Amino acid sequence: MRRRTGPLAFALLMLASPALRAQDTPHWRPALHFSPARHWANDPNGPFLLNGVYHLFFQYNPHGMVWGHTSWGHATSTDLVHWTEEPVAIPARPDEDIFSGTVVLDRDNRSGLGSKAAPPLLAFYTSVYSNTPAHPEGTQAQSISYSVDGGHTWRAHEGNPVLTLQPESRQFRDPSVFWYPDGQCWVMATVVGDAQVVKLYRSTDLLHWSFLSDFQPSGYRKPGMLWEMPLLLPLPLDGNPHDVKWVMIVSVNPWSIAGGSGVEYFVGRFDGTIFTPDALPAPGSDPSRYLWLDHGADQYAMARFANTGDGNPLLIGWMNNWDYASDIPTSPWRGQMTLPVEVALKTIEGRPALVQAPPRAYDDMVRKSGVHAYPDRMLKAGDHLLQPFGGDVLDIHLAIRRGDARRAGIVVRGSADGTIGTSIGYDFIDQTLTLDRAHSGNVGFSPRFSLAHIAHLAAPGGTLSLHLVIDRDSVEVFANDGVLRMTDLVFPPAGSDRVSLFVEGGSATFGAMRVAVLGK
């Protein structure tokens, strides 16, 4: 999955692969999602908020369009939509690649790396060693760089690495660090990827770490699967501060609900030492029996923004799938982030589940751009109504109320002749939501680019609500107020900007439609 690509191998790949010499594709450059100006990007790393500015770091190859030379890129924003790309924050070295991690603000200067007047930021990341006698080739350990100027420049800690396994491992990575107030300590979650285990550690000074426990669900292990990017966070169930659950989020590859890589989560309890999940599916169960943060194909490596206060946690992911990430037909960049979301824990169909929604900053931007409301429309079987608006960047809210229809839905990023479009349809009989990108445009760049994604979803009272975020190369669906999320990349031809509604097998009413056209 994560390949090392040296300079010579990369040069030969550039010569051999037509995909890497493709024409620039500005019509696929996202407007609402961060992408670097050039070259490869994957996992978001260590996002945080400081003095009104959001900082986003990400896995970055400054030298090419494929994974390699892994460094921390850097971008900043004041609204989570419009990003300014900054210089590379933590570059790879000849003997060390910089893998994923997190950033924390050491307010009390417990580490001693700053001062109480100027608290340091600490970036925890995985060092991947090569060509050095100090560590076996390819081994991984946890290291620190710190900043005393608000995250603009970083210095490696002289005591690196601060945490290793014995014996050293090639799969020990992705530190996620948070403050645990009940224990007055910091907790770090890491993974041993090929063992599918999360390892938890504690520290009072952020420099010295002691082992707490391992989390590995009984009977769960899948041959060939990797776990990555663990994230452990507390959430009040249904907003009740006296009923706090803990959620363990892990990215898995392969075996996700939509194929390839994806984000899974477990709800349970954390006592400061051990995370204990609630009842789990029986060993050998199908992926559909587990909890997934996203039912589309293009959500991976979720990271939490630090230092955002006591509200709902703010998360962001990588919008891609390891099944075809190296083949994505965008140029001169390859890789982008998802829309940040706020998450909450609610009781859904009798069990705790995460719900997600775009953050207030995004909603404010949409409202200021101008939102247009459209009257209710009842359609009958066979109707395919072209809407009076269009665009390649849209924010759409609508409710679909069943009359006696079997299916109803919406097609976005459609072409004038109707041959191109991405369909989001709901089956009222089977109670399934389907995002179908089989006719979305360029789908032939990889045989592993899955074409349709289906998820169970109830429609209380026969009504489905949808919030669609449409960008130049993606569709994000938040259904029933974020109870279900689907994130998919799409690559339509330039000019495919039509929107239409459809009904099959009866009648349905499309109501409460509010649209913001954010790009033409």
Side-chain angles (χ1 to χ4, degrees):
M1 178 192 67
R2 292 186 164 182
R3 304 188 301 272
R4 297 191 61 83
T5 305
L8 177 58
F10 176 72
L12 292 173
L13 187 58
M14 286 292 288
L15 291 172
S17 174
L20 296 180
R21 303 194 305 273
Q23 296 291 319
D24 287 357
T25 56
H27 55 290
W28 292 331
R29 172 72 73 176
L32 305 177
H33 304 82
F34 171 75
S35 62
R38 300 180 63 83
H39 300 149
W40 170 277
N42 60 288
D43 304 1
N45 297 148
F48 66 88
L49 174 65
L50 187 65
N51 299 325
V53 177
Y54 294 94
H55 292 252
L56 170 68
F57 303 90
F58 54 96
Q59 297 282 273
Y60 184 55
N61 180 356
H63 305 297
M65 291 282 284
V66 293
W67 182 92
H69 306 284
T70 310
S71 307
W72 273 29
H74 184 199
T76 55
S77 174
T78 57
D79 64 3
L80 296 169
V81 176
H82 302 96
W83 294 91
T84 299
E85 190 169 357
E86 308 285 354
V88 172
I90 309 177
R93 304 187 309 181
D95 62 349
E96 181 186 15
D97 274 4
I98 311 298
F99 273 19
S100 297
T102 190
V103 174
V104 299
L105 177 63
D106 183 10
R107 292 184 180 277
D108 299 322
N109 192 36
R110 292 169 180 257
S111 65
L113 296 176
S115 66
K116 288 196 174 182
L121 290 159
L122 273 65
F124 290 83
Y125 55 86
T126 299
S127 296
V128 184
Y129 296 106
S130 60
N131 305 313
T132 173
H135 302 275
E137 186 72 12
T139 56
Q140 302 178 359
Q142 315 320 318
S143 295
I144 294 172
S145 284
Y146 62 98
S147 173
V148 292
D149 63 1
H152 294 286
T153 61
W154 297 85
R155 178 184 302 176
H157 174 48
E158 292 180 356
N160 283 340
V162 298
L163 183 61
T164 61
L165 289 183
Q166 295 298 329
E168 292 188 63
S169 168
R170 296 168 64 94
Q171 296 284 344
F172 179 47
R173 57 177 172 268
D174 302 346
S176 174
V177 178
F178 65 93
W179 176 250
Y180 180 59
D182 289 353
Q184 288 296 292
C185 65
W186 297 89
V187 173
M188 177 193 294
T190 63
V191 293
V192 179
D194 58 350
Q196 298 149 39
V197 60
V198 175
K199 302 185 77 68
L200 299 176
Y201 299 84
R202 75 182 300 275
S203 175
T204 56
D205 64 4
L206 291 165
L207 303 179
H208 303 88
W209 295 87
S210 57
F211 176 71
L212 289 173
S213 63
D214 286 341
F215 166 61
Q216 184 179 51
S218 176
Y220 174 89
R221 191 168 182 181
K222 309 293 187 298
M225 181 203 287
L226 294 177
W227 273 15
E228 297 188 301
M229 296 291 288
L231 185 60
L232 182 60
L233 62 158
L235 287 169
L237 180 61
D238 299 321
N240 182 357
H242 303 294
D243 187 8
V244 174
K245 295 277 191 178
W246 286 78
V247 179
M248 177 73 79
I249 298 173
V250 292
S251 289
V252 302
N253 179 43
W255 199 73
S256 85
I257 187 66
S261 52
V263 183
E264 185 178 9
Y265 69 94
F266 303 86
V267 179
R269 303 175 303 282
F270 178 61
D271 63 3
T273 301
I274 297 171
F275 172 77
T276 305
D278 293 344
L280 293 171
S285 292
D286 183 82
S288 63
R289 302 290 296 170
Y290 288 84
L291 297 171
W292 298 92
L293 208 67
D294 199 295
H295 285 73
D298 295 308
Q299 173 81 265
Y300 195 70
M302 295 294 281
R304 178 183 182 178
F305 281 85
N307 201 41
T308 58
D310 297 329
N312 291 339
L314 182 65
L315 309 184
I316 190 171
W318 177 45
M319 190 185 288
N320 216 328
N321 191 305
W322 280 113
D323 266 2
Y324 43 77
S326 297
D327 301 315
I328 293 297
T330 57
S331 180
W333 82 98
R334 182 175 282 138
Q336 66 192 59
M337 301 302 131
T338 65
L339 196 70
V341 292
E342 294 180 1
V343 296
L345 193 67
K346 295 185 179 181
T347 302
I348 307 296
E349 297 186 9
R351 66 175 180 176
L354 289 177
V355 297
Q356 304 171 70
R360 181 176 300 176
Y362 171 81
D363 289 340
D364 289 344
M365 182 276 298
V366 170
R367 186 177 63 255
K368 290 175 183 177
S369 71
V371 178
H372 301 275
Y374 292 87
D376 291 5
R377 291 295 299 267
M378 192 272 284
L379 301 183
K380 296 180 180 179
D383 286 346
H384 202 277
L385 179 66
L386 185 67
Q387 289 301 105
F389 58 85
D392 59 5
V393 186
L394 300 167
D395 185 273
I396 302 174
H397 288 261
L398 76 155
I400 305 175
R401 300 193 297 272
R402 185 191 183 198
D404 55 357
R406 171 67 190 249
R407 280 185 86 243
I410 184 170
V411 176
V412 299
R413 297 306 312 274
S415 60
D417 63 4
T419 61
I420 299 295
T422 298
S423 170
I424 301 98
Y426 185 72
D427 189 312
F428 287 94
I429 304 300
D430 293 340
Q431 293 194 317
T432 54
L433 184 69
T434 299
L435 195 157
D436 188 340
R437 59 182 180 180
H439 303 287
S440 60
N442 185 348
V443 298
F445 59 87
S446 169
R448 304 181 76 183
F449 187 69
S450 53
L451 299 181
H453 306 118
I454 305 171
H456 167 77
L457 178 67
T463 298
L464 173 76
S465 70
L466 295 175
H467 179 194
L468 310 179
V469 179
I470 314 300
D471 210 342
R472 296 188 179 113
D473 68 344
S474 65
V475 176
E476 287 173 288
V477 179
F478 301 88
N480 288 354
D481 297 319
V483 168
L484 184 139
R485 185 180 182 186
M486 282 188 172
T487 303
D488 273 348
L489 290 167
V490 294
F491 303 101
S496 299
D497 58 2
R498 273 99 170 147
V499 177
S500 59
L501 309 174
F502 68 89
V503 172
E504 299 172 2
S507 65
T509 298
F510 295 80
M513 182 176 287
R514 307 189 310 277
V515 179
V517 179
L518 307 174
K520 281 284 191 179

